[in-house]
Amino acid sequence: MADIDMIPRSYRDRVRLRHTLRRVGGALALVLLCAGAGHVALRWRAAALAQEASQLRAAASAAQSDQARVAGERAATLRAGQRAALLGALRRDGELAALALAIDGALPADTWLTALALRRDARVATPGVATPGVMPGAAPAGATAQQAFATGSAAGDLLLLESHVELRGQAASYDGVTAFLARLGRVPGLTAVQLQSSGANAVDGAIDFHATMALTRPGADR
């Protein structure tokens, strides 16, 4: 009788089924718990990435604003410098005094002036219209030197200035005229020194001469 199984087979099947269902349910609950935790972690990571992206966009916007501000300050500084240079070019402070000293220092003992004329011309031109430099024959009485100064306008216009000097005088000899013009040609700020005419004066026996030159700032292209 001890070998006889008194437990019905159906009961054992039900017990086995319950155990199987418990294991499956536990495994399913574990899967759902892991899925939920993963979803929460994913949402947290997405929020963190969104926050980092927002911070990066804010930093990029601030950097662009700083660059625009620096560029604006540089442009304002450049325009201020251009205006200052333009004002100085128009005023030409001390130019006439310097010219008088240069001429007086270049005059030989046997040479003197009878007339001096200074003509200044100014016009506004767009970039590329005229190139600064010495332009022989640009004026009827000789050469001029054209200098360009930025006006600071949005179009990049240039102010073109020309200062033309005419000298008339007398000398005891042609050597005095030659020496005078040679000395003027070595003076900084005087360019295109040219003798236009010369000849003996029948009345007083001196040599009359007429010369022209261009007046620029010292250091300008010669």
Side-chain angles (χ1 to χ4, degrees):
M1 294 296 293
D3 295 335
I4 298 176
D5 188 0
M6 301 300 293
I7 301 174
R9 183 175 182 180
S10 59
Y11 174 77
R12 292 181 177 178
D13 291 340
R14 285 194 300 272
V15 171
R16 188 181 299 110
L17 178 61
R18 283 196 298 270
H19 291 169
T20 302
L21 290 176
R22 288 194 188 98
R23 288 193 296 269
V24 172
L28 182 60
L30 182 61
V31 170
L32 292 176
L33 180 62
C34 292
H39 179 67
V40 171
L42 182 61
R43 292 188 61 181
W44 177 83
R45 182 58 180 167
L49 290 176
Q51 184 178 5
E52 290 179 2
S54 178
Q55 292 175 349
L56 289 175
R57 286 194 296 269
S61 178
Q64 290 179 350
S65 299
D66 290 342
Q67 290 178 352
R69 177 179 55 81
V70 172
E73 291 175 352
R74 288 178 179 174
T77 301
L78 177 61
R79 288 193 297 270
Q82 290 174 338
R83 294 192 187 101
L86 183 61
L87 183 60
L90 291 173
R91 287 178 175 174
R92 306 300 283 261
D93 295 334
E95 183 181 64
L96 292 180
L99 175 62
L101 289 175
I103 293 176
D104 184 65
L107 277 172
D110 60 349
T111 305
W112 58 96
L113 294 183
T114 58
L116 185 152
L118 171 63
R119 187 183 73 247
R120 288 171 174 167
D121 298 320
R123 64 188 179 92
V124 176
T126 56
V129 171
T131 302
V134 177
M135 302 185 301
T144 62
Q146 189 179 79
Q147 292 180 280
F149 299 87
T151 61
S153 66
D157 293 337
L158 300 175
L159 178 68
L160 304 181
L161 297 178
E162 297 178 14
S163 294
H164 179 73
V165 181
E166 290 190 52
L167 300 176
R168 295 182 184 274
Q170 291 182 320
S173 64
Y174 284 104
D175 290 339
V177 177
T178 302
F180 175 51
L181 297 183
R183 292 176 183 177
L184 287 179
R186 293 191 293 269
V187 174
L190 296 181
T191 63
V193 179
Q194 296 180 2
L195 177 65
Q196 300 298 324
S197 63
S198 63
N201 189 312
V203 177
D204 51 22
I207 305 298
D208 293 330
F209 66 90
H210 172 209
T212 60
M213 67 193 72
L215 182 60
T216 66
R217 288 192 177 279
D221 292 337
R222 294 178 63 91

